[in-house]
Amino acid sequence: MIVGSGFIGRAWAISFARAGHDVRMWDQSPAATGGARDYIEGVLGDLSSNDLLRGQSVDTVLGRIAIAVELEEALAGAIHVQENTPENLDVKREVFSLIDSLAGPQTVIASSTSALLPSKFTDHLQGRHRCLVVHPINPPYLIPAAEVVPAPWTSAETLERTRAFLIDAGHAPLVMKRELDGFIMNRLQGALLEEAFRLVDGYASVEDVDIGIRDGLALRWSFMGPFETIDLNAPGGVRDYVDRYQGIYSNIFPQMLRRVDWAGEVMATVEAERSKRLPRKKLGDRQVWRDRRLMALAAHKKKSDQEFGQ
């Protein structure tokens, strides 16, 4: 069951319906749900053309998605609730209170929040043991990784049920041992962005930094993570890599303690260089291009996994 039918809520609906689940969507704004099915139908067409609907037709997947008028109706019999309201603590607390009071005792209640710790908006709930964060990389129907973040009181059963549910839906869950600001992916992304802004502040162009990732590190990272990367980058594996190269990074580290204000003077450079390469009026077109490239990549990875028995 989906609470909030903006871009993230719609994306989750596609992912869950494609996996064979009946999905009910609810939003306090009828206008939001009104356009959701049309949007979803368009995306399903693109997914179908890339063979990313598990062999199902657009009509079959779309037929599993229904719009609910009342929240209580939407929650009836739900095994999993995915909440997608704005990143506002007071809103989250209110919405989770309402869901907890209406949902059945076995329903898992998950939030898509990218920044708020689950302990901050579930501490007051009677059913807080079945609440947690499931944070996607958008759009989740193309990017399988999803962070599973427990509050201190989230039960082990809830974590395991959520992990299994996500795997069944084609996701790759990152199950954290405990909550932490930024979770996993935003901390990793944040570290990379911090260094990118430092480099642009007098050492490299915006495009040079993008080339370093796009045509360099990301080619490996698209099918392996940093630990596997270093495990394969030294004859003796990960320990051999550390013995050989840790000194390079320990020498660099003191320079990494200087923080550049992203919104400060460097932003004029970043914005000017990006605008030159991509006029602001073409951002929407480029976003569509990005999603279609992601679809092509997902289709390629699916085919490769099938060929090699992954």
Side-chain angles (χ1 to χ4, degrees), residues 255-270:
Q255 300 171 32
M256 294 178 172
L257 301 179
R258 179 182 72 91
R259 186 168 195 281
V260 173
D261 180 4
W262 298 6
E265 292 182 5
V266 71
M267 177 47 63
T269 300
V270 173

Side-chain angles (χ1 to χ4, degrees), residues 203-226:
Y203 299 97
S205 71
V206 169
E207 181 61 10
D208 286 335
V209 172
D210 276 357
I211 288 172
I213 301 301
R214 182 184 67 228
D215 300 320
L217 296 175
L219 295 179
R220 289 188 302 221
W221 289 349
S222 67
F223 57 89
M224 66 175 68

Side-chain angles (χ1 to χ4, degrees), residues 1-3 23-26 71 74-75 78 80-83:
M1 186 262 157
I2 305 295
V3 174
V23 178
R24 291 190 291 270
M25 301 183 69
W26 178 86
L71 179 58
L75 289 169
H80 181 95
V81 175
Q82 191 71 36
E83 171 272 328

Side-chain angles (χ1 to χ4, degrees), residues 129-293:
H129 65 281
R130 41 97 172 255
C131 298
L132 73 172
V133 164
V134 176
H135 171 233
I137 293 290
N138 205 35
Y141 54 79
L142 291 177
I143 303 179
E147 296 174 306
V148 179
V149 187
W153 38 79
T154 304
S155 70
E157 179 190 4
T158 296
L159 279 175
E160 177 53 31
R161 285 180 59 198
T162 302
R163 187 191 70 85
F165 175 77
L166 289 170
I167 290 173
D168 180 67
H171 290 281
L174 294 68
V175 182
M176 294 189 68
K177 297 177 181 179
R178 55 180 174 165
E179 64 180 15
L180 177 70
D181 285 327
F183 313 146
I184 296 173
M185 290 187 286
N186 275 332
R187 292 179 77 92
L188 291 172
Q189 180 171 248
L192 181 59
L193 285 172
E194 286 287 339
E195 189 56 44
F197 275 95
R198 269 191 295 271
L199 288 169
V200 171
D201 190 36
Y203 299 97
S205 71
V206 169
E207 181 61 10
D208 286 335
V209 172
D210 276 357
I211 288 172
I213 301 301
R214 182 184 67 228
D215 300 320
L217 296 175
L219 295 179
R220 289 188 302 221
W221 289 349
S222 67
F223 57 89
M224 66 175 68
F227 286 112
E228 184 175 6
T229 296
I230 66 172
D231 199 25
L232 301 180
N233 270 8
V238 64
R239 183 177 292 277
D240 186 20
Y241 182 94
V242 170
D243 289 342
R244 291 168 181 259
Y245 302 117
Q246 181 178 207
I248 296 173
Y249 297 100
S250 63
N251 288 336
I252 294 172
F253 183 72
Q255 300 171 32
M256 294 178 172
L257 301 179
R258 179 182 72 91
R259 186 168 195 281
V260 173
D261 180 4
W262 298 6
E265 292 182 5
V266 71
M267 177 47 63
T269 300
V270 173
E271 189 170 39
E273 292 190 29
R274 282 303 307 152
S275 296
K276 185 177 181 180
R277 293 191 63 85
L278 180 66
R280 303 299 84 182
K281 64 182 180 181
K282 293 186 178 180
L283 276 172
D285 293 340
R286 190 67 169 176
Q287 289 163 350
V288 172
W289 170 87
R290 174 203 61 198
D291 288 351
R292 287 179 175 164
R293 296 309 301 156

Side-chain angles (χ1 to χ4, degrees), residues 78-99:
I79 61 170
H80 181 95
V81 175
Q82 191 71 36
E83 171 272 328
N84 309 278
T85 58
E87 293 283 296
N88 180 295
L89 187 57
D90 292 336
V91 170
K92 299 286 188 194
R93 290 181 68 86
E94 181 179 351
V95 170
F96 263 71
S97 294
L98 187 57
I99 296 172

